[in-house]
Amino acid sequence: MALFDIDMIKKVYSQMPERVDQARKVVGKPLTLAEKILYTHLWDGTPNQKYERGKDYVDFAPDRIACQDATAQMALLQFMQAGKSKCAVPTTVHCDHLILAKQGAKPDLLHANQVSNEVFDFLESVSNKYGIGFWKPGAGIIHQVVLENYAFPGGMMIGTDSHTVNAGGLGMVAVGVGGADAVDVMAGMPWELKFPKLIGVKLTGELNGWTASKDVILKVAGILTVKGGTGAIIEYFGPGAKNLSCTGKGTICNMGAEVGATTSTFGYDDSMERFLRATGRAEVADEANKIREYLTGDDEVYANPEQYFDEVIEINLSELRPHLNGPFTPDLATPISEMSAKAKENDWPINVDWGLIGSCTNSSYEDLTRAASIAKQAVDKKIKSKSDFGINPGSEQIRYTAERDGILKIFEDLDATIFTNACGPCIGQWERSDRKGDEKNTIVHSFNRNFSKRADGNPNTHAFVGSPEMVAAIAISGRLDFDPTRDKLINEDGEEVMLEEPKGIELPTNGFDVEDPGYIAPREDGSGVEVKVSPTSERLQLLEPFKPWDGQNLMGAKLLIKAHGKCTTDHISMAGPWLRFRGHLDNISNNCLIGAVNAFNMKTNFVKNQLTGEYGGVPDVQRAYKAADIPTVVVGDHNYGEGSSREHAAMEPRHLGVRVVLVKSFARIHETNLKKQGMLGITFANENDYDLIQEDDTFNFIDLENFASDQPLTIEIVHKDGSKDVIKANHTYNDSQIEWYKEGSALNLIKKQNA
């Protein structure tokens, strides 16, 4: 494989010591790793002022961008409008989302290339035109491919997927964003982020027995909950951190998205150096070694973390025990030893139908070897697996090497299905061979998310998240309450046997190998490339600019839906079968908010049309309001927009005519996405005002014409009986974000500036 970005990396490293030293002077104290990376990537270059965490908006200059095929379509459709001839920073597109897992790698990849060829051809041609590296279908899962080829200690990257944070395993500040944020940077503009707060996680001791890196983040998720990391970078440090492998660190950073963290990171150490050398990037390791002390937090910070972090968590790896998190939320953490009692208490189905290993979270060579060490014992000890198995290797390099080393054969001996090197079941791209309808059942997987309906579309599938080796053990036993540290299994000869502790191989003894990694470099000059989008396509649609704000108060807006409880981006814009429309805004808008629970009847996709008094699906009712030129409001609960970075969850309501999203609190990426698309995303000044909202309400935004940063908005709510409530709403728009709102979207502003 080619060595990517070496000149760019050398440039970053040449500037880093001077900028870090200057940042120390400006801040007036020792620095965490996160601060070093943030201050060395300021848009203005050398630091000259101290930024307040959680308050100041700051312009940054990321080193690179990564996009996956489901989000890249909309990002690139927007970039095509920006009026630029080439991407301003190194960018890649990875085709990993649009491959349905059904029969196995070869037939599934063939099928994907047939049904999604129009999208893949579009992405490849746009990549060719604008100088973007293209990883074709089957090449691997974006975050694993990035870790193996592009991530480097001390770098900053953004990606159009919430699990971009995986690259923190190689010491980056890597942040998931919506496509519009990526378009800014592709167009040569700064990337804006509120300067994050800092959470320090001190790791001591060493993992042992059945405990894996995954258990670190499963434990952290239980402590912080799904919103505890919002607006913060989590920085892991301490002797325990150095005892983890690089891909193990990647797993921990990956699932930081599940606690809402901006990103997570680890300081550069020997395990990262080993990984860089093993993946053909010895030159990057050599360069990193020259400035090693700048690629980790200062000693004083790690010696006295309470003085430098906003919050500190300490975990002793030697005492950490294996966990399973779930169902239906990734922060419901249960130690394996307590699962039996908890499952009975909650009436969770005990029989496990599937064990799924892979996804961007746990698909490294080490992950596969640790799970294979359990699978091999089952074969050797004549234990027949009680559950079905599915395996998704992280990249073609991992798959090829694992096949060469006999690892995949071990799974095949257990009748496992080896799926394509792609996301598959983790994002709902899975056609289960064993289920119909909405039967209550349990699956275990090594993925990161387990929201209702996510893996298979069934609201009653109880999905539990664990390490690959724990997933293997539980799937083999067929029981959710199986604790491999103490429970025995009966083999085919009727004998009682126990599974021994897993053993993994950090990096392949004979090195990584691959015949075709799946990378296609773009043309030097793409000006002659024509990007074709058929006007009759149901998959792709060129974008029309959103209308600018008229500068007037917003009056007479109707309530579209008051969402009850958890409303993630999966509820707002489902994935699964809807992924095929990710490049066609009008078609995908037919899934807008169909998963949100209506607080007035506790049903999904069933809301009142105030024009007729009748009930209908959310998109249908909203299209009726749009046809009548009536603005609408969506009301929501806490952490609204949790989950994926998909900007479709902001673009669909905008396209259909929703003007305002009013909630108790937002997840970070979704709030930014709403702002970028020219939506008004605001929060109740008094959370209890959520309870005032009634089904037939009309909203008047009576001081919107004075929209300004740090000034709350006043909303008059008119109820059906004529009575009124006047409430206050807060917002986090700064002056430049208010300009996006005025112009109708951030993209409209870019076009105006480029013109």
Side-chain angles (χ1 to χ4, degrees), residues 473-520:
I474 288 174
I476 287 162
S477 77
R479 290 184 64 85
L480 183 65
D481 57 359
F482 176 68
D483 179 355
T485 65
R486 61 184 184 200
D487 295 344
K488 294 186 168 127
L489 295 168
I490 307 292
N491 73 3
E492 290 176 30
D493 297 337
E495 300 162 340
E496 282 194 337
V497 291
M498 271 192 90
L499 294 171
E500 291 149 37
E501 293 172 356
K503 288 189 169 52
I505 302 166
E506 181 185 353
L507 295 161
T509 317
N510 298 320
F512 283 108
D513 205 357
V514 66
E515 275 180 359
D516 173 14
Y519 176 71
I520 300 171

Side-chain angles (χ1 to χ4, degrees), residues 487-600:
D487 295 344
K488 294 186 168 127
L489 295 168
I490 307 292
N491 73 3
E492 290 176 30
D493 297 337
E495 300 162 340
E496 282 194 337
V497 291
M498 271 192 90
L499 294 171
E500 291 149 37
E501 293 172 356
K503 288 189 169 52
I505 302 166
E506 181 185 353
L507 295 161
T509 317
N510 298 320
F512 283 108
D513 205 357
V514 66
E515 275 180 359
D516 173 14
Y519 176 71
I520 300 171
R523 286 187 195 175
E524 277 296 310
D525 177 11
S527 57
V529 177
E530 192 184 349
V531 179
K532 292 191 179 120
V533 174
S534 163
T536 57
S537 170
E538 63 163 27
R539 300 287 299 268
L540 296 164
Q541 179 188 44
L542 294 174
L543 292 174
E544 295 287 327
F546 292 132
K547 274 189 189 153
W549 175 41
D550 62 8
Q552 305 294 308
N553 285 333
L554 183 62
M555 307 296 281
K558 299 292 185 188
L559 178 72
L560 173 63
I561 185 171
K562 176 179 174 179
H564 169 81
K566 193 187 267 271
C567 192
T568 71
T569 48
D570 278 40
H571 295 88
I572 305 166
S573 172
M574 287 184 180
W578 289 95
L579 281 171
R580 59 197 301 269
F581 298 124
R582 283 279 179 90
H584 196 296
L585 184 54
D586 194 57
N587 283 349
I588 198 166
S589 293
N590 290 322
N591 79 2
C592 183
L593 285 156
I594 63 175
V597 176
N598 180 355
F600 299 109

Side-chain angles (χ1 to χ4, degrees), residues 113-432:
N113 277 317
Q114 286 167 347
V115 300
S116 292
N117 64 320
E118 181 188 11
V119 172
F120 296 145
D121 289 349
F122 166 76
L123 293 173
E124 189 178 344
S125 67
V126 177
S127 298
N128 234 338
K129 185 170 184 66
Y130 296 109
I132 297 167
F134 182 75
W135 291 80
K136 64 189 182 186
I141 304 172
I142 175 171
H143 311 304
Q144 189 61 42
V145 172
V146 165
L147 199 70
E148 291 174 21
N149 294 280
Y150 299 111
F152 67 97
M156 175 185 276
M157 70 175 283
I158 58 172
T160 62
D161 187 285
S162 53
H163 292 104
T164 301
V165 295
N166 190 79
L170 248 176
M172 291 195 94
V173 161
V175 184
V177 298
D181 268 355
V183 170
D184 281 357
V185 179
M186 287 159 130
M189 294 169 68
W191 170 57
E192 184 190 68
L193 179 73
K194 189 182 277 186
F195 203 86
K197 292 184 176 177
L198 299 173
I199 298 173
V201 180
K202 183 179 182 180
L203 301 178
T204 59
E206 197 161 356
L207 294 173
N208 61 80
W210 282 87
T211 311
S213 299
K214 183 67 161 270
D215 295 302
V216 176
I217 187 59
L218 295 179
K219 174 79 174 171
V220 168
I223 295 167
L224 286 176
T225 77
V226 288
K227 59 179 193 284
T230 303
I233 291 179
I234 303 176
E235 185 170 323
Y236 292 84
F237 63 94
K242 292 178 179 171
N243 291 331
L244 300 169
S245 69
C246 178
T247 53
K249 292 178 170 78
T251 293
I252 292 167
C253 292
N254 182 296
M255 256 191 89
E258 274 51 69
V259 298
T262 302
T263 191
S264 306
T265 194
F266 284 81
Y268 179 58
D269 62 15
D270 293 348
S271 72
M272 293 186 193
E273 181 179 348
R274 288 195 298 272
F275 187 76
L276 284 168
R277 295 190 188 283
T279 50
R281 292 175 289 169
E283 199 176 343
V284 178
D286 293 342
E287 293 297 322
N289 286 342
K290 292 176 189 171
I291 59 160
R292 206 174 174 106
E293 70 272 24
Y294 289 96
L295 299 174
T296 188
D298 288 336
D299 290 343
E300 300 93 317
V301 170
Y302 293 160
N304 303 290
E306 283 80 7
Q307 292 175 31
Y308 300 98
F309 291 99
D310 298 292
E311 182 179 350
V312 178
I313 295 167
E314 189 165 334
I315 296 172
N316 182 343
L317 301 182
S318 304
E319 294 171 4
L320 184 64
R321 292 296 168 256
H323 280 64
L324 270 188
N325 284 25
F328 306 127
T329 185
D331 60 348
L332 183 57
T334 306
I336 292 289
S337 56
E338 297 169 22
M339 182 54 83
S340 180
K342 202 160 172 181
K344 284 191 187 79
E345 184 188 323
N346 290 287
D347 195 27
W348 296 334
I350 292 293
N351 290 338
V352 174
D353 292 329
W354 273 88
L356 297 156
I357 292 166
S359 94
C360 62
T361 326
N362 276 112
S363 54
S364 68
Y365 185 85
E366 182 183 29
D367 290 325
L368 293 182
T369 60
R370 283 181 70 87
S373 76
I374 304 304
K376 186 163 186 345
Q377 289 182 54
V379 174
D380 293 348
K381 295 182 182 189
K382 299 184 181 175
I383 307 166
K384 195 162 174 55
S385 176
K386 302 284 196 302
S387 315
D388 290 325
F389 260 107
I391 314 288
N392 285 80
S395 69
E396 176 56 17
Q397 179 167 266
I398 289 169
R399 188 210 65 78
Y400 188 93
T401 307
E403 185 172 60
R404 177 199 72 189
D405 295 347
I407 292 158
L408 296 187
K409 174 142 192 342
I410 294 169
F411 291 118
E412 286 164 346
D413 288 344
L414 211 59
D415 287 336
T417 305
I418 311 294
F419 292 126
T420 317
N421 316 317
C423 303
C426 180
I427 55 155
Q429 284 285 59
W430 182 30
E431 193 168 312
R432 278 182 76 166

